[in-house]
Amino acid sequence: MVAEDDVLRGVSRDVAGARVVALRQGLSLVPMTDELVDAVADGGDAEVLGFRRLSAGFGRMLAGWSVAGPLAYVEAEYFGGVGEERAAVWADGALVWGPLDVPVKRWFSRPVGPVSQALRRLGARRGLGGDEFDAVGLDRHRWTDDWAASGVA
């Protein structure tokens, strides 16, 4: 999950396993660790809106949290520059954008990719020659566990 820092810290404060990691441009990230997925699981199908780790109950939770401010749920997986992305944005209690995805094994320009588009909807701006993904610092770690280790519970 990605949102403005104060929004994300507020809504995730009482969720077991939620670790907030500061990004750039006033945004923060909560990595979807196994502990967090278990804490927000509702026993339903794990693949809601095509996301691997988003349950229906957690999707409803995201909608509720988005009343405090817009937030994005993003998934990205790369190997050697080839990969996939999926992203959606909630605001004012509803899904307002997406989900948008780019399939596996397809080269694409990250500036027009789903994650960069979702970050733009949260107010992120890309730098010269880069994209929003890099501009906010999502290129800092490759693995979910590394993100979680750098966060604050």
Side-chain angles (χ1 to χ4, degrees), residues 31-57:
M32 292 301 294
T33 62
D34 291 339
E35 181 183 7
L36 180 57
V37 170
D38 290 344
V40 298
D42 64 348
D45 187 0
E47 289 196 22
V48 170
L49 300 175
F51 289 101
R52 290 189 179 130
R53 306 199 79 175
L54 179 62
S55 67

mmCIF file with all atom_site columns, all heavy atoms in Angstrom, residues 31-57:
data_model
loop_
_atom_site.group_PDB
_atom_site.id
_atom_site.type_symbol
_atom_site.label_atom_id
_atom_site.label_alt_id
_atom_site.label_comp_id
_atom_site.label_asym_id
_atom_site.label_entity_id
_atom_site.label_seq_id
_atom_site.pdbx_PDB_ins_code
_atom_site.Cartn_x
_atom_site.Cartn_y
_atom_site.Cartn_z
_atom_site.occupancy
_atom_site.B_iso_or_equiv
_atom_site.pdbx_formal_charge
_atom_site.auth_seq_id
_atom_site.auth_comp_id
_atom_site.auth_asym_id
_atom_site.auth_atom_id
_atom_site.pdbx_PDB_model_num
ATOM 1   N N   . PRO A 1 31 ? 4.585   -2.656  3.255   1.00 0.00 ? 31 PRO A N   1
ATOM 2   C CA  . PRO A 1 31 ? 4.770   -3.876  2.473   1.00 0.00 ? 31 PRO A CA  1
ATOM 3   C C   . PRO A 1 31 ? 3.825   -4.984  2.921   1.00 0.00 ? 31 PRO A C   1
ATOM 4   O O   . PRO A 1 31 ? 3.539   -5.129  4.112   1.00 0.00 ? 31 PRO A O   1
ATOM 5   C CB  . PRO A 1 31 ? 6.231   -4.261  2.731   1.00 0.00 ? 31 PRO A CB  1
ATOM 6   C CG  . PRO A 1 31 ? 6.651   -3.504  3.930   1.00 0.00 ? 31 PRO A CG  1
ATOM 7   C CD  . PRO A 1 31 ? 5.726   -2.343  4.095   1.00 0.00 ? 31 PRO A CD  1
ATOM 8   N N   . MET A 1 32 ? 3.344   -5.768  1.970   1.00 0.00 ? 32 MET A N   1
ATOM 9   C CA  . MET A 1 32 ? 2.394   -6.842  2.256   1.00 0.00 ? 32 MET A CA  1
ATOM 10  C C   . MET A 1 32 ? 3.140   -8.121  2.645   1.00 0.00 ? 32 MET A C   1
ATOM 11  O O   . MET A 1 32 ? 3.283   -9.041  1.854   1.00 0.00 ? 32 MET A O   1
ATOM 12  C CB  . MET A 1 32 ? 1.486   -7.082  1.049   1.00 0.00 ? 32 MET A CB  1
ATOM 13  C CG  . MET A 1 32 ? 0.535   -5.942  0.761   1.00 0.00 ? 32 MET A CG  1
ATOM 14  S SD  . MET A 1 32 ? -0.567  -5.547  2.127   1.00 0.00 ? 32 MET A SD  1
ATOM 15  C CE  . MET A 1 32 ? -1.568  -7.009  2.213   1.00 0.00 ? 32 MET A CE  1
ATOM 16  N N   . THR A 1 33 ? 3.586   -8.161  3.887   1.00 0.00 ? 33 THR A N   1
ATOM 17  C CA  . THR A 1 33 ? 4.259   -9.341  4.413   1.00 0.00 ? 33 THR A CA  1
ATOM 18  C C   . THR A 1 33 ? 3.239   -10.439 4.670   1.00 0.00 ? 33 THR A C   1
ATOM 19  O O   . THR A 1 33 ? 2.027   -10.192 4.708   1.00 0.00 ? 33 THR A O   1
ATOM 20  C CB  . THR A 1 33 ? 4.958   -9.003  5.733   1.00 0.00 ? 33 THR A CB  1
ATOM 21  O OG1 . THR A 1 33 ? 3.961   -8.596  6.682   1.00 0.00 ? 33 THR A OG1 1
ATOM 22  C CG2 . THR A 1 33 ? 5.993   -7.889  5.556   1.00 0.00 ? 33 THR A CG2 1
ATOM 23  N N   . ASP A 1 34 ? 3.720   -11.655 4.875   1.00 0.00 ? 34 ASP A N   1
ATOM 24  C CA  . ASP A 1 34 ? 2.826   -12.771 5.208   1.00 0.00 ? 34 ASP A CA  1
ATOM 25  C C   . ASP A 1 34 ? 2.034   -12.462 6.474   1.00 0.00 ? 34 ASP A C   1
ATOM 26  O O   . ASP A 1 34 ? 0.840   -12.753 6.554   1.00 0.00 ? 34 ASP A O   1
ATOM 27  C CB  . ASP A 1 34 ? 3.612   -14.072 5.387   1.00 0.00 ? 34 ASP A CB  1
ATOM 28  C CG  . ASP A 1 34 ? 4.203   -14.581 4.082   1.00 0.00 ? 34 ASP A CG  1
ATOM 29  O OD1 . ASP A 1 34 ? 3.702   -14.199 3.007   1.00 0.00 ? 34 ASP A OD1 1
ATOM 30  O OD2 . ASP A 1 34 ? 5.171   -15.366 4.153   1.00 0.00 ? 34 ASP A OD2 1
ATOM 31  N N   . GLU A 1 35 ? 2.693   -11.859 7.469   1.00 0.00 ? 35 GLU A N   1
ATOM 32  C CA  . GLU A 1 35 ? 2.019   -11.507 8.723   1.00 0.00 ? 35 GLU A CA  1
ATOM 33  C C   . GLU A 1 35 ? 0.872   -10.533 8.490   1.00 0.00 ? 35 GLU A C   1
ATOM 34  O O   . GLU A 1 35 ? -0.220  -10.697 9.023   1.00 0.00 ? 35 GLU A O   1
ATOM 35  C CB  . GLU A 1 35 ? 3.028   -10.912 9.715   1.00 0.00 ? 35 GLU A CB  1
ATOM 36  C CG  . GLU A 1 35 ? 2.428   -10.547 11.048  1.00 0.00 ? 35 GLU A CG  1
ATOM 37  C CD  . GLU A 1 35 ? 3.436   -9.901  11.994  1.00 0.00 ? 35 GLU A CD  1
ATOM 38  O OE1 . GLU A 1 35 ? 4.576   -9.615  11.582  1.00 0.00 ? 35 GLU A OE1 1
ATOM 39  O OE2 . GLU A 1 35 ? 3.052   -9.666  13.151  1.00 0.00 ? 35 GLU A OE2 1
ATOM 40  N N   . LEU A 1 36 ? 1.103   -9.544  7.662   1.00 0.00 ? 36 LEU A N   1
ATOM 41  C CA  . LEU A 1 36 ? 0.057   -8.564  7.365   1.00 0.00 ? 36 LEU A CA  1
ATOM 42  C C   . LEU A 1 36 ? -1.079  -9.197  6.565   1.00 0.00 ? 36 LEU A C   1
ATOM 43  O O   . LEU A 1 36 ? -2.254  -8.958  6.853   1.00 0.00 ? 36 LEU A O   1
ATOM 44  C CB  . LEU A 1 36 ? 0.633   -7.364  6.620   1.00 0.00 ? 36 LEU A CB  1
ATOM 45  C CG  . LEU A 1 36 ? -0.353  -6.268  6.243   1.00 0.00 ? 36 LEU A CG  1
ATOM 46  C CD1 . LEU A 1 36 ? -1.084  -5.731  7.461   1.00 0.00 ? 36 LEU A CD1 1
ATOM 47  C CD2 . LEU A 1 36 ? 0.359   -5.145  5.517   1.00 0.00 ? 36 LEU A CD2 1
ATOM 48  N N   . VAL A 1 37 ? -0.742  -10.007 5.584   1.00 0.00 ? 37 VAL A N   1
ATOM 49  C CA  . VAL A 1 37 ? -1.773  -10.679 4.789   1.00 0.00 ? 37 VAL A CA  1
ATOM 50  C C   . VAL A 1 37 ? -2.656  -11.520 5.708   1.00 0.00 ? 37 VAL A C   1
ATOM 51  O O   . VAL A 1 37 ? -3.889  -11.502 5.601   1.00 0.00 ? 37 VAL A O   1
ATOM 52  C CB  . VAL A 1 37 ? -1.145  -11.540 3.674   1.00 0.00 ? 37 VAL A CB  1
ATOM 53  C CG1 . VAL A 1 37 ? -2.191  -12.431 3.020   1.00 0.00 ? 37 VAL A CG1 1
ATOM 54  C CG2 . VAL A 1 37 ? -0.481  -10.653 2.629   1.00 0.00 ? 37 VAL A CG2 1
ATOM 55  N N   . ASP A 1 38 ? -2.046  -12.242 6.656   1.00 0.00 ? 38 ASP A N   1
ATOM 56  C CA  . ASP A 1 38 ? -2.819  -13.048 7.604   1.00 0.00 ? 38 ASP A CA  1
ATOM 57  C C   . ASP A 1 38 ? -3.697  -12.174 8.496   1.00 0.00 ? 38 ASP A C   1
ATOM 58  O O   . ASP A 1 38 ? -4.831  -12.531 8.806   1.00 0.00 ? 38 ASP A O   1
ATOM 59  C CB  . ASP A 1 38 ? -1.890  -13.902 8.485   1.00 0.00 ? 38 ASP A CB  1
ATOM 60  C CG  . ASP A 1 38 ? -1.219  -15.025 7.718   1.00 0.00 ? 38 ASP A CG  1
ATOM 61  O OD1 . ASP A 1 38 ? -1.683  -15.348 6.594   1.00 0.00 ? 38 ASP A OD1 1
ATOM 62  O OD2 . ASP A 1 38 ? -0.229  -15.566 8.234   1.00 0.00 ? 38 ASP A OD2 1
ATOM 63  N N   . ALA A 1 39 ? -3.189  -11.005 8.884   1.00 0.00 ? 39 ALA A N   1
ATOM 64  C CA  . ALA A 1 39 ? -3.941  -10.116 9.776   1.00 0.00 ? 39 ALA A CA  1
ATOM 65  C C   . ALA A 1 39 ? -5.179  -9.527  9.109   1.00 0.00 ? 39 ALA A C   1
ATOM 66  O O   . ALA A 1 39 ? -6.175  -9.269  9.777   1.00 0.00 ? 39 ALA A O   1
ATOM 67  C CB  . ALA A 1 39 ? -3.040  -8.985  10.278  1.00 0.00 ? 39 ALA A CB  1
ATOM 68  N N   . VAL A 1 40 ? -5.126  -9.309  7.799   1.00 0.00 ? 40 VAL A N   1
ATOM 69  C CA  . VAL A 1 40 ? -6.255  -8.682  7.108   1.00 0.00 ? 40 VAL A CA  1
ATOM 70  C C   . VAL A 1 40 ? -7.083  -9.674  6.307   1.00 0.00 ? 40 VAL A C   1
ATOM 71  O O   . VAL A 1 40 ? -8.072  -9.287  5.680   1.00 0.00 ? 40 VAL A O   1
ATOM 72  C CB  . VAL A 1 40 ? -5.786  -7.511  6.206   1.00 0.00 ? 40 VAL A CB  1
ATOM 73  C CG1 . VAL A 1 40 ? -5.130  -6.424  7.032   1.00 0.00 ? 40 VAL A CG1 1
ATOM 74  C CG2 . VAL A 1 40 ? -4.859  -8.002  5.102   1.00 0.00 ? 40 VAL A CG2 1
ATOM 75  N N   . ALA A 1 41 ? -6.683  -10.946 6.329   1.00 0.00 ? 41 ALA A N   1
ATOM 76  C CA  . ALA A 1 41 ? -7.415  -11.966 5.576   1.00 0.00 ? 41 ALA A CA  1
ATOM 77  C C   . ALA A 1 41 ? -8.818  -12.123 6.144   1.00 0.00 ? 41 ALA A C   1
ATOM 78  O O   . ALA A 1 41 ? -9.034  -12.025 7.342   1.00 0.00 ? 41 ALA A O   1
ATOM 79  C CB  . ALA A 1 41 ? -6.675  -13.302 5.633   1.00 0.00 ? 41 ALA A CB  1
ATOM 80  N N   . ASP A 1 42 ? -9.746  -12.374 5.250   1.00 0.00 ? 42 ASP A N   1
ATOM 81  C CA  . ASP A 1 42 ? -11.135 -12.556 5.677   1.00 0.00 ? 42 ASP A CA  1
ATOM 82  C C   . ASP A 1 42 ? -11.640 -13.947 5.356   1.00 0.00 ? 42 ASP A C   1
ATOM 83  O O   . ASP A 1 42 ? -12.831 -14.219 5.440   1.00 0.00 ? 42 ASP A O   1
ATOM 84  C CB  . ASP A 1 42 ? -12.027 -11.508 5.010   1.00 0.00 ? 42 ASP A CB  1
ATOM 85  C CG  . ASP A 1 42 ? -12.066 -11.669 3.493   1.00 0.00 ? 42 ASP A CG  1
ATOM 86  O OD1 . ASP A 1 42 ? -11.244 -12.424 2.945   1.00 0.00 ? 42 ASP A OD1 1
ATOM 87  O OD2 . ASP A 1 42 ? -12.920 -11.031 2.869   1.00 0.00 ? 42 ASP A OD2 1
ATOM 88  N N   . GLY A 1 43 ? -10.722 -14.832 4.962   1.00 0.00 ? 43 GLY A N   1
ATOM 89  C CA  . GLY A 1 43 ? -11.113 -16.193 4.623   1.00 0.00 ? 43 GLY A CA  1
ATOM 90  C C   . GLY A 1 43 ? -11.639 -16.341 3.214   1.00 0.00 ? 43 GLY A C   1
ATOM 91  O O   . GLY A 1 43 ? -11.957 -17.429 2.781   1.00 0.00 ? 43 GLY A O   1
ATOM 92  N N   . GLY A 1 44 ? -11.728 -15.240 2.488   1.00 0.00 ? 44 GLY A N   1
ATOM 93  C CA  . GLY A 1 44 ? -12.233 -15.285 1.115   1.00 0.00 ? 44 GLY A CA  1
ATOM 94  C C   . GLY A 1 44 ? -11.130 -15.555 0.120   1.00 0.00 ? 44 GLY A C   1
ATOM 95  O O   . GLY A 1 44 ? -9.982  -15.809 0.482   1.00 0.00 ? 44 GLY A O   1
ATOM 96  N N   . ASP A 1 45 ? -11.481 -15.478 -1.138  1.00 0.00 ? 45 ASP A N   1
ATOM 97  C CA  . ASP A 1 45 ? -10.538 -15.689 -2.223  1.00 0.00 ? 45 ASP A CA  1
ATOM 98  C C   . ASP A 1 45 ? -9.423  -14.652 -2.147  1.00 0.00 ? 45 ASP A C   1
ATOM 99  O O   . ASP A 1 45 ? -9.669  -13.463 -1.989  1.00 0.00 ? 45 ASP A O   1
ATOM 100 C CB  . ASP A 1 45 ? -11.279 -15.569 -3.558  1.00 0.00 ? 45 ASP A CB  1
ATOM 101 C CG  . ASP A 1 45 ? -10.411 -15.936 -4.745  1.00 0.00 ? 45 ASP A CG  1
ATOM 102 O OD1 . ASP A 1 45 ? -9.231  -16.276 -4.543  1.00 0.00 ? 45 ASP A OD1 1
ATOM 103 O OD2 . ASP A 1 45 ? -10.926 -15.896 -5.870  1.00 0.00 ? 45 ASP A OD2 1
ATOM 104 N N   . ALA A 1 46 ? -8.180  -15.104 -2.260  1.00 0.00 ? 46 ALA A N   1
ATOM 105 C CA  . ALA A 1 46 ? -7.026  -14.222 -2.135  1.00 0.00 ? 46 ALA A CA  1
ATOM 106 C C   . ALA A 1 46 ? -6.813  -13.343 -3.358  1.00 0.00 ? 46 ALA A C   1
ATOM 107 O O   . ALA A 1 46 ? -6.136  -12.344 -3.280  1.00 0.00 ? 46 ALA A O   1
ATOM 108 C CB  . ALA A 1 46 ? -5.761  -15.032 -1.861  1.00 0.00 ? 46 ALA A CB  1
ATOM 109 N N   . GLU A 1 47 ? -7.363  -13.709 -4.497  1.00 0.00 ? 47 GLU A N   1
ATOM 110 C CA  . GLU A 1 47 ? -7.111  -12.937 -5.702  1.00 0.00 ? 47 GLU A CA  1
ATOM 111 C C   . GLU A 1 47 ? -8.313  -12.080 -6.079  1.00 0.00 ? 47 GLU A C   1
ATOM 112 O O   . GLU A 1 47 ? -9.143  -12.457 -6.884  1.00 0.00 ? 47 GLU A O   1
ATOM 113 C CB  . GLU A 1 47 ? -6.730  -13.855 -6.856  1.00 0.00 ? 47 GLU A CB  1
ATOM 114 C CG  . GLU A 1 47 ? -5.361  -14.458 -6.684  1.00 0.00 ? 47 GLU A CG  1
ATOM 115 C CD  . GLU A 1 47 ? -4.818  -15.056 -7.959  1.00 0.00 ? 47 GLU A CD  1
ATOM 116 O OE1 . GLU A 1 47 ? -5.258  -14.670 -9.051  1.00 0.00 ? 47 GLU A OE1 1
ATOM 117 O OE2 . GLU A 1 47 ? -3.945  -15.917 -7.847  1.00 0.00 ? 47 GLU A OE2 1
ATOM 118 N N   . VAL A 1 48 ? -8.388  -10.928 -5.462  1.00 0.00 ? 48 VAL A N   1
ATOM 119 C CA  . VAL A 1 48 ? -9.446  -9.979  -5.756  1.00 0.00 ? 48 VAL A CA  1
ATOM 120 C C   . VAL A 1 48 ? -8.897  -8.932  -6.717  1.00 0.00 ? 48 VAL A C   1
ATOM 121 O O   . VAL A 1 48 ? -7.770  -8.464  -6.556  1.00 0.00 ? 48 VAL A O   1
ATOM 122 C CB  . VAL A 1 48 ? -9.960  -9.324  -4.447  1.00 0.00 ? 48 VAL A CB  1
ATOM 123 C CG1 . VAL A 1 48 ? -10.873 -8.168  -4.734  1.00 0.00 ? 48 VAL A CG1 1
ATOM 124 C CG2 . VAL A 1 48 ? -10.655 -10.363 -3.597  1.00 0.00 ? 48 VAL A CG2 1
ATOM 125 N N   . LEU A 1 49 ? -9.657  -8.577  -7.719  1.00 0.00 ? 49 LEU A N   1
ATOM 126 C CA  . LEU A 1 49 ? -9.264  -7.605  -8.741  1.00 0.00 ? 49 LEU A CA  1
ATOM 127 C C   . LEU A 1 49 ? -7.990  -8.025  -9.457  1.00 0.00 ? 49 LEU A C   1
ATOM 128 O O   . LEU A 1 49 ? -7.291  -7.208  -10.020 1.00 0.00 ? 49 LEU A O   1
ATOM 129 C CB  . LEU A 1 49 ? -9.086  -6.210  -8.125  1.00 0.00 ? 49 LEU A CB  1
ATOM 130 C CG  . LEU A 1 49 ? -10.298 -5.595  -7.444  1.00 0.00 ? 49 LEU A CG  1
ATOM 131 C CD1 . LEU A 1 49 ? -9.934  -4.280  -6.777  1.00 0.00 ? 49 LEU A CD1 1
ATOM 132 C CD2 . LEU A 1 49 ? -11.430 -5.380  -8.442  1.00 0.00 ? 49 LEU A CD2 1
ATOM 133 N N   . GLY A 1 50 ? -7.657  -9.330  -9.402  1.00 0.00 ? 50 GLY A N   1
ATOM 134 C CA  . GLY A 1 50 ? -6.467  -9.830  -10.062 1.00 0.00 ? 50 GLY A CA  1
ATOM 135 C C   . GLY A 1 50 ? -5.190  -9.706  -9.260  1.00 0.00 ? 50 GLY A C   1
ATOM 136 O O   . GLY A 1 50 ? -4.131  -10.113 -9.720  1.00 0.00 ? 50 GLY A O   1
ATOM 137 N N   . PHE A 1 51 ? -5.246  -9.146  -8.065  1.00 0.00 ? 51 PHE A N   1
ATOM 138 C CA  . PHE A 1 51 ? -4.068  -9.025  -7.212  1.00 0.00 ? 51 PHE A CA  1
ATOM 139 C C   . PHE A 1 51 ? -3.792  -10.350 -6.516  1.00 0.00 ? 51 PHE A C   1
ATOM 140 O O   . PHE A 1 51 ? -4.720  -11.053 -6.120  1.00 0.00 ? 51 PHE A O   1
ATOM 141 C CB  . PHE A 1 51 ? -4.261  -7.945  -6.140  1.00 0.00 ? 51 PHE A CB  1
ATOM 142 C CG  . PHE A 1 51 ? -4.259  -6.551  -6.688  1.00 0.00 ? 51 PHE A CG  1
ATOM 143 C CD1 . PHE A 1 51 ? -5.454  -5.869  -6.877  1.00 0.00 ? 51 PHE A CD1 1
ATOM 144 C CD2 . PHE A 1 51 ? -3.075  -5.912  -7.008  1.00 0.00 ? 51 PHE A CD2 1
ATOM 145 C CE1 . PHE A 1 51 ? -5.466  -4.582  -7.376  1.00 0.00 ? 51 PHE A CE1 1
ATOM 146 C CE2 . PHE A 1 51 ? -3.083  -4.622  -7.502  1.00 0.00 ? 51 PHE A CE2 1
ATOM 147 C CZ  . PHE A 1 51 ? -4.277  -3.954  -7.691  1.00 0.00 ? 51 PHE A CZ  1
ATOM 148 N N   . ARG A 1 52 ? -2.540  -10.662 -6.311  1.00 0.00 ? 52 ARG A N   1
ATOM 149 C CA  . ARG A 1 52 ? -2.164  -11.921 -5.663  1.00 0.00 ? 52 ARG A CA  1
ATOM 150 C C   . ARG A 1 52 ? -2.447  -11.940 -4.170  1.00 0.00 ? 52 ARG A C   1
ATOM 151 O O   . ARG A 1 52 ? -2.738  -12.977 -3.614  1.00 0.00 ? 52 ARG A O   1
ATOM 152 C CB  . ARG A 1 52 ? -0.677  -12.188 -5.870  1.00 0.00 ? 52 ARG A CB  1
ATOM 153 C CG  . ARG A 1 52 ? -0.335  -12.533 -7.272  1.00 0.00 ? 52 ARG A CG  1
ATOM 154 C CD  . ARG A 1 52 ? 1.106   -12.993 -7.356  1.00 0.00 ? 52 ARG A CD  1
ATOM 155 N NE  . ARG A 1 52 ? 1.407   -13.341 -8.723  1.00 0.00 ? 52 ARG A NE  1
ATOM 156 C CZ  . ARG A 1 52 ? 2.467   -12.898 -9.379  1.00 0.00 ? 52 ARG A CZ  1
ATOM 157 N NH1 . ARG A 1 52 ? 3.337   -12.137 -8.775  1.00 0.00 ? 52 ARG A NH1 1
ATOM 158 N NH2 . ARG A 1 52 ? 2.653   -13.252 -10.625 1.00 0.00 ? 52 ARG A NH2 1
ATOM 159 N N   . ARG A 1 53 ? -2.321  -10.791 -3.497  1.00 0.00 ? 53 ARG A N   1
ATOM 160 C CA  . ARG A 1 53 ? -2.377  -10.783 -2.041  1.00 0.00 ? 53 ARG A CA  1
ATOM 161 C C   . ARG A 1 53 ? -3.483  -9.884  -1.493  1.00 0.00 ? 53 ARG A C   1
ATOM 162 O O   . ARG A 1 53 ? -3.410  -9.452  -0.358  1.00 0.00 ? 53 ARG A O   1
ATOM 163 C CB  . ARG A 1 53 ? -1.026  -10.348 -1.486  1.00 0.00 ? 53 ARG A CB  1
ATOM 164 C CG  . ARG A 1 53 ? 0.100   -11.229 -2.049  1.00 0.00 ? 53 ARG A CG  1
ATOM 165 C CD  . ARG A 1 53 ? 1.314   -11.172 -1.257  1.00 0.00 ? 53 ARG A CD  1
ATOM 166 N NE  . ARG A 1 53 ? 1.124   -12.028 -0.094  1.00 0.00 ? 53 ARG A NE  1
ATOM 167 C CZ  . ARG A 1 53 ? 2.067   -12.286 0.784   1.00 0.00 ? 53 ARG A CZ  1
ATOM 168 N NH1 . ARG A 1 53 ? 3.255   -11.776 0.639   1.00 0.00 ? 53 ARG A NH1 1
ATOM 169 N NH2 . ARG A 1 53 ? 1.824   -13.070 1.813   1.00 0.00 ? 53 ARG A NH2 1
ATOM 170 N N   . LEU A 1 54 ? -4.490  -9.622  -2.275  1.00 0.00 ? 54 LEU A N   1
ATOM 171 C CA  . LEU A 1 54 ? -5.570  -8.736  -1.860  1.00 0.00 ? 54 LEU A CA  1
ATOM 172 C C   . LEU A 1 54 ? -6.854  -9.535  -1.700  1.00 0.00 ? 54 LEU A C   1
ATOM 173 O O   . LEU A 1 54 ? -7.417  -10.011 -2.684  1.00 0.00 ? 54 LEU A O   1
ATOM 174 C CB  . LEU A 1 54 ? -5.769  -7.617  -2.890  1.00 0.00 ? 54 LEU A CB  1
ATOM 175 C CG  . LEU A 1 54 ? -6.877  -6.615  -2.625  1.00 0.00 ? 54 LEU A CG  1
ATOM 176 C CD1 . LEU A 1 54 ? -6.622  -5.848  -1.336  1.00 0.00 ? 54 LEU A CD1 1
ATOM 177 C CD2 . LEU A 1 54 ? -6.997  -5.653  -3.790  1.00 0.00 ? 54 LEU A CD2 1
ATOM 178 N N   . SER A 1 55 ? -7.299  -9.695  -0.460  1.00 0.00 ? 55 SER A N   1
ATOM 179 C CA  . SER A 1 55 ? -8.559  -10.405 -0.207  1.00 0.00 ? 55 SER A CA  1
ATOM 180 C C   . SER A 1 55 ? -9.720  -9.426  -0.303  1.00 0.00 ? 55 SER A C   1
ATOM 181 O O   . SER A 1 55 ? -9.534  -8.208  -0.229  1.00 0.00 ? 55 SER A O   1
ATOM 182 C CB  . SER A 1 55 ? -8.531  -11.046 1.182   1.00 0.00 ? 55 SER A CB  1
ATOM 183 O OG  . SER A 1 55 ? -8.518  -10.038 2.180   1.00 0.00 ? 55 SER A OG  1
ATOM 184 N N   . ALA A 1 56 ? -10.911 -9.956  -0.446  1.00 0.00 ? 56 ALA A N   1
ATOM 185 C CA  . ALA A 1 56 ? -12.102 -9.092  -0.541  1.00 0.00 ? 56 ALA A CA  1
ATOM 186 C C   . ALA A 1 56 ? -12.250 -8.246  0.714   1.00 0.00 ? 56 ALA A C   1
ATOM 187 O O   . ALA A 1 56 ? -12.545 -7.051  0.637   1.00 0.00 ? 56 ALA A O   1
ATOM 188 C CB  . ALA A 1 56 ? -13.348 -9.943  -0.767  1.00 0.00 ? 56 ALA A CB  1
ATOM 189 N N   . GLY A 1 57 ? -12.029 -8.845  1.872   1.00 0.00 ? 57 GLY A N   1
ATOM 190 C CA  . GLY A 1 57 ? -12.138 -8.094  3.131   1.00 0.00 ? 57 GLY A CA  1
ATOM 191 C C   . GLY A 1 57 ? -11.126 -6.972  3.217   1.00 0.00 ? 57 GLY A C   1
ATOM 192 O O   . GLY A 1 57 ? -11.424 -5.880  3.693   1.00 0.00 ? 57 GLY A O   1
#
